[in-house]
Structures are given as structure tokens and as C-alpha cells.
Amino acid sequence: MSEDILAKIVRMRREDIERLGLNFGIEISEKREVGHTEFLGNAGAILEVKRASPSKGDIAPDLDPVGLATTYAEAHAQAVSVLTETNFFKGTLRDLIAVANLMERRRKQGLHACAVLRKDFLLFEDEIDIAYRCGADAVLLIARILDDEQLVRMAKRAASFDMQAFVEVRETDDLRKLKVVTEALGESAAKTIVAGVNSRDLA
């Protein structure tokens, strides 16, 4: 049986982490240097910063993350989703840092600032720490690629930083995992867990 695209993304990501570390060789501040905007604290659009995708290939190879995120903020988007996966989406943590810094400048100027979501195929708890230090307000956790225990640990780590976990569900078993993680977080789940259905089967 051939390897599906989701399994391939995860496998290659693990290989990159083994070779480069969880920061993918990018220099990251030891502490968070920007403020916080609650992810989906208000109704509004989530708009993406994405250069490519597995199905479409290059979408915007010369994309300027700051310029695009500025356009989104000026349109009063509620959140900006920044792809940081390298092999198939051609994003990096540098994009996340740049967008988070932009939103901090806008906050200081009294302008509308979007929440920032790190969108990636996160596998390890320490990646939550890295996302926080890079300025993310929320992290995508894909239920399909995480077992129950790891999903709970990662959601709890996000909550410890006052970040939201955006839990992506696709299959019936993902709904079971969502129930597990919300029960594990108890009353705090209402503030720290956001669920979204992926209508497309990436595998």
C-alpha cells in the first residue's frame, strides 16, 4: 500500500526534526516578546498565510507574510493562520515570528491586531513552547495524527501559556479524542479548546 500524503508529511517532518531540532534550525527568542490576542475571542474570519499546498503546489511562492497579514488586519480578520510546515506548504517559523511582530506593532499603535495561529503538523509538547515564544496565540492540533495522551498533554501545555488549542477533527474517532481532551481539561476547556472540522480528507 502506498504512503498517503498525510503520513508522508508526518514522516518527513519527523526526519527534519531529527536532523534540525524542533526549531528547524531557526534562531528563536528564549522568551515571548509580544502581547496576546485571544484566538476566536470574537466572531470573525480566520485568513491564511500560505505559500503552497500538497494538492495545488505553489500558490504564492513570493508571498510577503507581513504585507498579506497587514491586509488581513486592515480588513479586520479575527485571526491569521500562519503555515509553518516546510516541505509541502513552504512555510517557516520565520513567517510566524514576522506576523506576530506585526500584530504587536499594531497593538502598540492602537490598531486592530489579529490573533495568530501556528498551523502545522505538531507532534511534540515542546513545539507548543516554541510556538509561544514565536508569538503564536493558538496552535493547531490535528487529532488524527496524535494519540489520546499526546493530544491531552499538548492541549494542557497550550493552556499553561494561555494559548488556545485549535483541535482539528475529521473522522469519528477524532470526535472521541475531542471528548477525551475536553474532559481532561475540565472547566478550562471552554476557554482553551476550539474545535474545527476539516471537510477535506488530506490522506
Side-chain angles (χ1 to χ4, degrees), residues 62-134:
D62 299 321
L63 178 150
D64 169 15
V66 171
L68 184 56
T70 298
T71 299
Y72 292 161
E74 289 175 349
H76 281 251
Q78 207 287 321
V80 176
S81 169
V82 183
L83 270 293
T84 59
E85 195 279 335
T86 301
N87 295 307
F88 294 89
F89 294 89
K90 299 187 178 178
T92 77
L93 288 170
R94 292 187 185 93
D95 294 341
L96 180 64
I97 293 167
V99 171
N101 286 341
L102 164 69
M103 297 307 165
E104 178 67 2
R105 290 194 297 274
R106 292 184 63 87
R107 273 190 291 267
K108 288 181 176 177
Q109 293 167 5
L111 301 172
H112 174 74
C114 309
V116 180
L117 168 71
R118 181 184 181 186
K119 189 172 184 182
D120 207 328
F121 298 77
L122 303 181
L123 302 168
F124 304 101
E125 292 151 86
D126 286 347
E127 293 191 273
I128 307 296
D129 300 55
I130 287 170
Y132 177 76
R133 285 157 47 197
C134 288

Side-chain angles (χ1 to χ4, degrees), residues 119-176:
K119 189 172 184 182
D120 207 328
F121 298 77
L122 303 181
L123 302 168
F124 304 101
E125 292 151 86
D126 286 347
E127 293 191 273
I128 307 296
D129 300 55
I130 287 170
Y132 177 76
R133 285 157 47 197
C134 288
D137 300 301
V139 288
L140 178 69
L141 300 181
I142 303 174
R144 195 171 183 176
I145 64 173
L146 300 168
D147 62 29
D148 294 18
E149 292 77 12
Q150 188 65 354
L151 180 60
V152 168
R153 286 195 294 265
M154 293 174 76
K156 284 185 173 180
R157 183 72 67 88
S160 74
F161 290 120
D162 196 26
M163 299 168 70
Q164 277 75 36
F166 187 17
V167 180
E168 178 186 300
V169 296
R170 162 72 198 178
E171 301 179 323
T172 302
D173 192 53
D174 297 340
L175 293 175
R176 181 193 60 78

